[in-house]
Amino acid sequence: MAMKGYLDEYEKLVIRMNTPRVVIDNGVCSSATIVKVDSPRGHGILLEAVQILTDLNLSIKKAYISSDGRWNMDVFHVTDLNGNKLNDQSVLSYIEQSIETVYYGENIEVNGLTALELTGTDRIGLLSEMFAVLSDLNCDVVDAKLWTHNGRVASMIYLKDCSSGSPILDSHRISKIEGRLKNVLNGDNDVKSAAKTCVSVDMMTHIERRLHQLMFEDRDYEKRSKKQERSPMVVVTVQNWAERGYSVVNVHCRDRTKLLFDVVCTLTDMEYAVFHATINTSEDQAHLEFYIRHKDGSPISSEAERQRVIQCLEAAVERRASEGVRLELRHPDKQGLLAEVTRTFRENGLNVTRTEISTSCGMAT
């Protein structure tokens, strides 16, 4: 019994030693709230912290990332979207509790829903055709997000049965839904750009991280037409610092919300570890510098790999930076509503480049 008690105390000590420690300070800086995170080194811990802050629609004005051996110290200067410091105690408590516990970053309640992952060729009217198919198959879209980039589209759609309100579990019906959507997504039927549809098996992955993964797997960073050149608004450079064994990545672009998340997400999913980083924003510009290595401790080893990192980070920044008109709609939810709305876009020759759809308490947004 004494040994059992000893082990329990030892396990508690290990948990305390490996749990991130969060300190939030509103007094040090006059223009931002300081969030300090001390944590043991581990792949993805930096991403989880950034993910929590950006999911709260907070703006990260500056950040300093440093690794000393097996320990990380991350410092974030954050404000709300209006540039104000954080004074809501419930928000501050949520940040502390979320970072100090295991966090999976799921934004929506997915219990009782069927999750579909889709990739394919983008074109005018695609969204209208997709939602028309789902309406015809008696599927109710509860939540959805769609991104487009370089002529490709990736989407996560959460469904339930219109009649019963239950998740769609019948394998035959799911196959029918996937088949109909794949026909719509295939576009020009080019084998190299063939559509993919599947029921998500990992519903705990953060939805926006999963969209990055889907577009990365679809190699959207390579699909550039001959007329399409790299965006002058995004400048990415990668150099090796041979003496210290780091690869140094610099990203300069227009500042926006969730920029740091998009870059860190891509580096993490490409299995690079960030050892040091500095993030600075000035007016509407952002400069991000990262000192990275592979998970095995080696820097970038070839010119081909260097170019791939540049392409992937450019794509990560561009996917969310849509141009055009932003339209927000709220309407009592009903079957076929999305098909009607998106048909209007199609009939007027408008291409939808990014979409966020949610339903709550009988209202569709």
Side-chain angles (χ1 to χ4, degrees):
M1 294 297 292
M3 179 61 72
K4 178 66 167 61
Y6 171 79
L7 289 175
D8 287 344
E9 290 303 314
Y10 177 75
E11 289 171 356
K12 292 177 183 178
L13 175 63
V14 170
I15 292 171
R16 286 197 298 271
M17 290 177 61
N18 288 280
T19 297
R21 294 196 294 268
V22 181
V23 176
I24 299 178
D25 195 324
N26 256 326
V28 174
C29 180
S30 60
S31 59
T33 298
I34 308 299
V35 179
K36 301 178 182 178
V37 182
D38 292 330
S39 63
R41 166 157 294 284
H43 191 64
I45 290 179
L46 171 61
L47 175 59
E48 288 182 357
V50 173
Q51 188 173 283
I52 290 165
L53 297 174
T54 54
D55 279 350
L56 289 169
N57 284 326
L58 302 179
S59 178
I60 300 175
K61 296 298 184 183
K62 293 182 179 181
Y64 305 96
I65 313 301
S66 181
S67 172
D68 181 11
R70 296 183 179 181
W71 202 258
N72 284 353
M73 182 180 72
D74 306 332
V75 180
F76 304 96
H77 293 230
V78 302
T79 68
D80 62 21
L81 294 183
N82 295 319
N84 301 316
K85 295 169 69 172
L86 311 182
N87 293 309
D88 188 332
Q89 189 57 48
S90 64
V91 173
L92 301 180
S93 297
Y94 177 83
I95 292 172
E96 287 184 0
Q97 294 169 9
S98 298
I99 295 177
E100 290 178 350
T101 57
V102 177
Y103 180 78
Y104 294 102
E106 192 58 55
N107 290 330
I108 63 173
E109 179 60 51
V110 298
N111 291 332
L113 301 176
T114 299
L116 285 179
E117 298 179 351
L118 313 170
T119 56
T121 305
D122 185 33
R123 68 178 188 282
I124 292 176
L126 174 63
L127 203 59
S128 173
E129 294 178 32
M130 287 169 51
F131 288 138
V133 165
L134 292 173
S135 178
D136 183 57
L137 293 173
N138 204 37
C139 298
D140 182 19
V141 177
V142 179
D143 286 271
K145 285 196 177 186
L146 175 143
W147 289 356
T148 65
H149 181 245
N150 279 349
R152 305 300 293 167
V153 59
S155 182
M156 290 287 296
I157 301 177
Y158 294 86
L159 306 169
K160 63 181 179 181
D161 179 73
C162 283
S163 303
S164 66
S166 303
I168 301 169
L169 302 175
D170 179 75
S171 59
H172 177 73
R173 187 178 177 191
I174 288 174
S175 296
K176 185 176 181 180
I177 294 170
E178 290 179 340
R180 292 272 302 269
L181 287 174
K182 186 175 291 186
N183 288 336
V184 170
L185 284 160
N186 263 325
D188 57 8
N189 294 317
D190 183 357
V191 174
K192 293 182 180 179
S193 58
K196 296 180 181 178
T197 64
C198 70
V199 174
S200 176
V201 295
D202 185 6
M203 295 177 68
M204 296 305 293
T205 300
H206 186 275
I207 187 171
E208 293 184 349
R209 183 179 184 184
R210 186 58 188 146
L211 285 172
H212 275 300
Q213 291 172 346
L214 289 172
M215 300 212 85
F216 176 78
E217 292 165 4
D218 195 44
R219 304 175 76 89
D220 71 310
Y221 54 88
E222 290 183 344
K223 294 179 171 63
R224 299 177 183 272
S225 65
K226 293 181 180 179
K227 296 181 180 180
Q228 189 176 14
E229 298 180 355
R230 289 179 174 175
S231 170
M233 304 301 293
V234 184
V235 178
V236 180
T237 62
V238 179
Q239 296 176 316
N240 274 357
W241 188 11
E243 293 82 358
R244 296 296 181 91
Y246 291 115
S247 294
V248 184
V249 176
N250 280 276
V251 180
H252 185 82
C253 62
R254 184 181 297 276
D255 189 29
R256 59 168 174 77
T257 57
K258 301 192 177 184
L259 174 62
L260 181 58
F261 169 81
D262 293 336
V263 175
V264 173
C265 178
T266 299
L267 289 172
T268 302
D269 284 336
M270 293 180 75
E271 299 198 338
Y272 293 106
V274 176
F275 285 82
H276 305 280
T278 303
I279 288 82
N280 281 301
T281 62
S282 177
E283 296 180 353
D284 65 342
Q285 296 296 305
H287 182 82
L288 302 84
E289 183 176 62
F290 301 89
Y291 291 76
I292 66 171
R293 293 173 180 158
H294 288 106
K295 289 174 65 176
D296 65 5
S298 62
I300 291 172
S301 59
S302 69
E303 176 61 20
E305 183 184 1
R306 189 180 76 87
Q307 289 297 328
R308 186 166 179 261
V309 170
I310 291 173
Q311 286 183 320
C312 290
L313 290 179
E314 285 178 341
V317 173
E318 292 169 354
R319 287 169 192 148
R320 201 192 296 268
S322 301
E323 296 181 354
V325 176
R326 176 185 172 96
L327 176 64
E328 296 186 10
L329 298 172
R330 282 180 59 84
H331 192 278
D333 192 23
K334 63 175 183 178
Q335 185 175 353
L337 175 62
L338 289 174
E340 294 177 17
V341 171
T342 52
R343 185 176 66 244
T344 302
F345 297 146
R346 183 191 66 200
E347 291 173 348
N348 286 276
L350 300 175
N351 191 35
V352 180
T353 59
R354 196 153 58 89
T355 305
E356 295 185 12
I357 295 161
S358 63
T359 59
S360 179
C361 302
M363 292 294 294
T365 303

